Structure formats: structure tokens, C-alpha cells
Amino acid sequence: MGLKAPKRYKIAFVAGTRPEIIKTAPVYLAVARQPDLQPVFINTGQHREMSHMFLNLFNIVSDYDLNIMKPEQSLSSLSASILQELERILQRENPDWVLVQGDTTSAFCGALSAFYQKIAIGHIEAGLRTGDIYSPFPEEMNRILVGRLSTYHYAPTQKAKDNLLNEGISPNKIMITGNTVVDALYWIQSQDKQISSSDISRLLSSNPNQRLVLVTAHRRENWEGGIANVAEAVVRLAKRFPDIVFIFSVHPNPVVKDQVYAILSNQANVFLHDPLDYFDFIKVLNQSLLAISDSGGVQEEAPSLGVPVIITRSTTERPEILGTGMGYLAGTDQTTIINLATELLTKKQARKAQNIFGDGFASQRIVQSILFSLGKIPKRPDDFDY
């Protein structure tokens, strides 16, 4: 009789939005390199148009692809659909672990479904808090609920760990790993490829020294008035700085897209573009003088490249960026955005990347933690020291 093959522990990933895929991809790839582990990727398709684009970028083929998105879907309907599908999949796969990332509806439902099946849950990017359950909405409450459900908590920073400790989470269940977005960022920078967007490529090749500002907007709490205010501020900035091209990566949600195009489509030095793939996005961000964004990911990516970001929100769950010269809370007040942008665009300042959120090894720490919990290695990795 032949020798029995050693057990491979099954690690299921539940993700479906652009930021989740970017931040879980390095962990998935690190799991796939381990002979004792078998990754299973469940794409909820919460960002249907974008999820495949980003999975393809990292050469990840999803094992399950949920076709659950419908026009104008409520959070209740979305949550119910994800939970129903995940129950079937988790019962079939019976994974040893489920990994979720961040604060989306996919993350919350992934953790809740795993809890119902009594499966160990690892929370990537655990412990972020604003202190206001409605800002951002519903992400802040999603984070809190995932934190109560999770078995292991992968905090990106000491502040995030402190938040979890203050909520009564055992220190033995928390590890500071750094943020996996930095791992993804470094991976992207190591790739030898050309920008895929012909429009962006033409823009940058026509003037390699072109001054740029990158803009994004998508937060639900900014849908009624806030996104329009940001767009109006960009109009005024574009007129004030005619030598700068403002590249607006426009979210596909019609609530966002319609407002942005109505206000900005006729401004000569504003370049409206469908969501950039991650490689193109990082190339543009790296060349930008400034980012204006309500994205959590941009708050982490920009300082890693030495690019300041004006945060168009009233709160941030990443307070580490404030006071470093890399991040400025502006809300969606036009005057505040314009004054901050004007100051940053006219100030002579040496550009310096800051290691606020990670060193590029968060994924390895998470995988080592999983192996330690399974008894495959004798020592838990040390916390990220930054």
C-alpha cells in the first residue's frame, strides 16, 4: 500500500470588492505556496464589474463566483443572498479556516457564515475604528461585528491592536502584521508590464513630466451632496491649476458616476476614466502630486509612495496618517478641499515614502500565524515593528 498523502489544511477566502481582492491577493498567493495549505477563493461579486479585473491581475482563479448582484440592491437583500450562498459552499468545502478582509458586507457575511459553521475565522485588517457607527456606513459596524465573530485578528498597526484590546479581545488572539495593501503595492511595482489603459498611456507618454492629481469618490455617506461637492471642488482646482491634469477614477455605481460626469465632463484638464486596474492606478498614483479621495486603501497606498492625500471624509479609521504630512481630513466642504489642495500643490516639499502601514511582509506573518495555530511551526511570528 502506498503512503497516505499528508493532510492539506483548507483555507477559504471570502471577498468580492476591489479593495478586498487587492488586500487578500498577497495572502492567497502566500497560502498557495505552502505545501500544508490549500486555498479556496470565494468571490461574492459584490463589485461585479471590478472583481474579475483584479483577480486576473493577481492571476487568481476563483473556485466559486456568486452571481448575486442586482440593480439598486438593498444591504438586507445583498446580505441575505451572500449568506445563503456561503452556507452551501462552506458546508461543501468544510474549510479549516475562513479569512475575511476589512469591513465590507462580503467580509461581515463571510465571518457570520463561518461562525454558523463553527469554522475558525481570521480577520485581515482588524481593529480599525472611527468611533462613529454611521461613519463610514455600513463599514464601521461591519468592522465591529467581524471583530466579535473572529477567532484571530490581524491588526495592521499598534493603534488597531489597542482598539481591539479596549474591546476585550485577548492579546493572544491579536497580531500586528502591517497592512497587506503594502504587500500588494510592492508586488505591483515589481511587475514588468505596460499600462493597460490606452488613454492613460497616451496621456503620460505625450508628456512624461505631466503634473497629476488623482481623484476617487465612492463612499455611501457621500452620495447625497458630498460627491457633488468634491466634483465642484475639482472644477475650481482645475481652473486654478490649468497645467495639472486631474485624473478621476470614476466608480461604476450610477449614483456616483452620474453626478461626477454631470459636473466634470466638460472641464478640459479633468480626465474621467472608468475604474483603473490596480497596476494602472498605482502607476498614476505614484506620479501624482496629490490624491483626493474618500478611499481607505488610498490612505494606505499614498504615504507608501510619498504622496499626500486629502481625505474627503469627516472621520478616518486610519488616524496614523494624520499629523505625518501625508493625510488631511477635509470632509466634503469645497472650500476646505480647495484650500488644502492649493497649499499642497504650491508648497515645495521633498517627496518621501513613509512606512506608516507596513513593510511588505504582512502576508507572510499571517500565513505563519495560521501554520502556528495548526501546530505546523513551533513559534508564532513577531509583531510588525514600525
Side-chain angles (χ1 to χ4, degrees):
M1 294 179 62
L3 293 175
K4 186 178 180 180
K7 174 180 172 62
R8 294 184 72 199
Y9 294 90
K10 196 176 287 185
I11 313 298
F13 294 78
V14 178
T17 66
R18 172 191 181 278
E20 284 176 301
I21 292 170
I22 291 168
K23 293 179 179 184
T24 59
V27 187
Y28 176 95
L29 297 175
V31 165
R33 290 192 292 268
Q34 291 294 326
D36 295 318
L37 305 179
Q38 176 187 346
V40 176
F41 200 98
I42 304 167
N43 176 17
T44 68
Q46 188 177 338
H47 284 174
R48 188 69 191 171
E49 299 88 349
M50 293 188 279
S51 63
H52 292 115
M53 178 196 307
F54 289 96
L55 286 168
N56 291 339
L57 176 64
F58 291 98
N59 299 313
I60 295 173
V61 178
S62 57
D63 297 276
Y64 296 91
D65 198 338
L66 311 187
N67 187 19
I68 55 162
M69 294 307 295
K70 300 174 184 176
E72 301 180 9
Q73 193 170 29
S74 70
L75 288 172
S76 298
S77 174
L78 174 61
S79 299
S81 297
I82 294 175
L83 284 170
Q84 285 183 325
E85 291 296 317
L86 287 179
E87 180 180 57
R88 174 180 60 84
I89 294 168
L90 293 182
Q91 287 178 351
R92 175 189 296 173
E93 292 289 344
N94 191 28
D96 298 278
W97 273 61
V98 168
L99 288 174
V100 298
Q101 189 282 325
D103 54 21
T104 67
T105 301
S106 293
F108 166 56
C109 291
L112 183 59
S113 187
F115 169 75
Y116 286 159
Q117 304 299 320
K118 298 183 179 179
I119 301 168
I121 303 158
H123 187 197
I124 303 167
E125 197 183 77
L128 277 62
R129 300 289 186 270
T130 66
D132 181 347
I133 62 171
Y134 294 111
S135 178
F137 175 84
E139 289 84 0
E140 178 72 2
M141 183 53 75
N142 285 343
R143 281 191 283 263
I144 294 169
L145 295 172
V146 174
R148 303 315 301 173
L149 293 165
S150 293
T151 316
Y152 298 93
H153 307 259
Y154 299 119
T157 64
Q158 181 64 51
K159 175 63 177 173
K161 179 178 181 178
D162 290 343
N163 290 336
L164 293 166
L165 292 172
N166 290 337
E167 293 174 7
I169 304 297
S170 167
N172 295 330
K173 299 296 184 180
I174 309 169
M175 187 171 72
I176 303 174
T177 61
N179 200 300
T180 58
V181 76
V182 182
D183 303 26
L185 179 66
Y186 290 169
W187 185 87
I188 287 293
Q189 290 182 308
S190 72
Q191 302 302 298
D192 183 19
K193 60 176 288 189
Q194 300 298 314
I195 288 177
S196 61
S197 167
S198 56
D199 292 334
I200 296 292
S201 182
R202 278 195 300 271
L203 173 68
L204 299 184
S205 61
S206 64
N207 181 4
N209 297 316
Q210 175 65 60
R211 284 154 52 90
L212 302 176
V213 169
L214 179 61
V215 187
T216 77
H218 74 282
R219 287 286 179 188
R220 185 180 292 265
E221 66 267 26
N222 287 342
W223 283 3
E224 296 184 10
I227 286 171
N229 280 344
V230 172
E232 293 286 0
V234 171
V235 169
R236 292 167 61 184
L237 285 167
K239 291 177 178 177
R240 184 172 295 185
F241 297 95
D243 64 317
I244 294 176
V245 173
F246 292 77
I247 297 180
F248 204 131
S249 182
V250 185
H251 197 280
N253 189 312
V255 176
V256 176
K257 189 172 184 177
D258 291 351
Q259 294 185 70
V260 171
Y261 271 82
I263 295 168
L264 288 168
S265 58
N266 294 321
Q267 183 61 39
N269 57 327
V270 174
F271 191 87
L272 302 179
H273 200 286
D274 289 342
L276 297 167
D277 81 19
Y278 195 53
F279 181 84
D280 292 3
F281 186 87
I282 293 303
K283 285 289 187 182
V284 172
L285 179 60
N286 191 43
Q287 190 168 326
S288 295
L289 302 168
L290 169 69
I292 301 172
S293 178
D294 58 11
S295 162
V298 173
Q299 293 177 54
E300 297 153 349
E301 293 151 346
S304 299
L305 297 170
V307 179
V309 55
I310 294 174
I311 305 162
T312 52
R313 293 167 53 188
S314 57
T315 59
T316 179
E317 60 278 21
R318 296 163 175 85
E320 296 89 349
I321 194 174
L322 304 178
T324 65
M326 288 284 101
Y328 303 84
L329 273 179
T332 58
D333 178 73
Q334 291 185 44
T335 301
T336 304
I337 295 169
I338 290 165
N339 288 345
L340 279 171
T342 299
E343 180 183 354
L344 290 167
L345 292 171
T346 54
K347 182 168 60 175
K348 299 292 184 183
Q349 183 173 334
R351 179 164 168 167
K352 182 181 178 182
Q354 295 199 25
N355 195 28
I356 302 170
F357 293 107
D359 60 355
F361 295 99
S363 301
Q364 286 91 324
R365 293 186 184 97
I366 291 169
V367 170
Q368 292 295 302
S369 169
I370 293 171
L371 291 170
F372 172 73
S373 76
L374 296 171
K376 305 304 292 185
I377 59 174
K379 182 180 181 295
R380 192 181 96 152
D382 294 329
D383 282 349
F384 165 54
D385 183 18
Y386 64 103

